[in-house]
Amino acid sequence: MNDAHWHLIVNHFPIIGTIFGLGTLIVGLVLKNNSVKNTAYVLFVVAAIFAFASMATGDGAEEMVEDMPNIGHQIIHEHEELAEKLAIVLYATAIFSLLSLYTNLKKHKFSKIASYITLVFALSATVLGSFVGTSGGEIRHTEIREGLVKLPTQNTIPNSESKED
């Protein structure tokens, strides 16, 4: 397997893991359940690990596809820039998740504040992740690119009304 293949395997986990983590954290906060919140923190750490793997395989994937027709350097560069920002936000989310996990386990008075700081980072990562996922999808799925002009298809089925007698 090459870097492009590995990148396609690991790049979904940071986005999906963050979405699952966000939902889990919200449930944990609403229910005031530390075990549920701790599960969310672990999901955020796992998402950050996969973000690291995605970043590590991204350059190799870029080398393989950048010269393909209908791709180009600009769309890959845009995806790369967004992905770098997401990785930073996910690393920060993971750090605050570890802090939140520690404060929860130690029943520290800072645990509630740490949970809400982690929530803000997770929300930011989720929004940014949607942009990264879309820009990554646009690399090979030209049908989702904005501004794409679709030409109308011609009807090839003969119309019975247009027959001349």
Side-chain angles (χ1 to χ4, degrees):
M1 286 197 283
N2 56 41
D3 276 349
H5 193 188
W6 282 113
H7 189 68
L8 289 170
I9 290 171
V10 299
N11 71 17
H12 297 90
F13 288 100
I15 297 169
I16 294 168
T18 303
I19 292 168
F20 283 142
L22 177 63
T24 305
L25 182 57
I26 290 170
V27 169
L29 289 169
V30 168
L31 298 177
K32 297 179 179 162
N33 186 317
N34 285 338
S35 295
V36 175
K37 289 190 284 187
N38 291 344
T39 301
Y41 302 143
V42 171
L43 285 170
F44 293 137
V45 171
V46 170
I49 291 168
F50 274 100
F52 181 81
S54 292
M55 295 301 293
T57 58
D59 285 336
E62 175 184 6
E63 294 298 319
M64 297 196 74
V65 301
E66 67 185 343
D67 294 324
M68 288 181 163
N70 297 327
I71 293 181
H73 298 280
Q74 181 59 35
I75 195 162
I76 294 173
H77 179 72
E78 184 179 314
H79 174 64
E80 184 178 10
E81 292 295 314
L82 286 168
E84 288 171 354
K85 290 178 178 107
L86 175 61
I88 291 167
V89 173
L90 282 174
Y91 300 152
T93 306
I95 289 167
F96 273 95
S97 292
L98 292 172
L99 177 66
S100 297
L101 181 63
Y102 177 79
T103 58
N104 258 351
L105 294 174
K106 296 294 182 180
K107 298 183 182 1
H108 193 276
K109 63 181 179 178
F110 184 65
S111 66
K112 188 173 185 178
I113 294 170
S115 294
Y116 284 106
I117 292 171
T118 303
L119 177 67
V120 170
F121 275 108
L123 282 167
S124 301
T126 300
V127 170
L128 192 52
S130 71
F131 295 129
V132 172
T134 299
S135 69
E138 288 174 348
I139 292 172
R140 292 292 289 158
H141 294 281
T142 57
E143 72 275 10
I144 65 170
R145 292 183 189 170
E146 283 189 33
L148 180 69
V149 177
K150 291 187 179 183
L151 298 174
T153 57
Q154 185 178 13
N155 187 358
T156 57
I157 300 172
N159 188 345
S160 61
E161 294 175 9
S162 65
K163 287 184 183 178
E164 293 182 28
D165 293 320

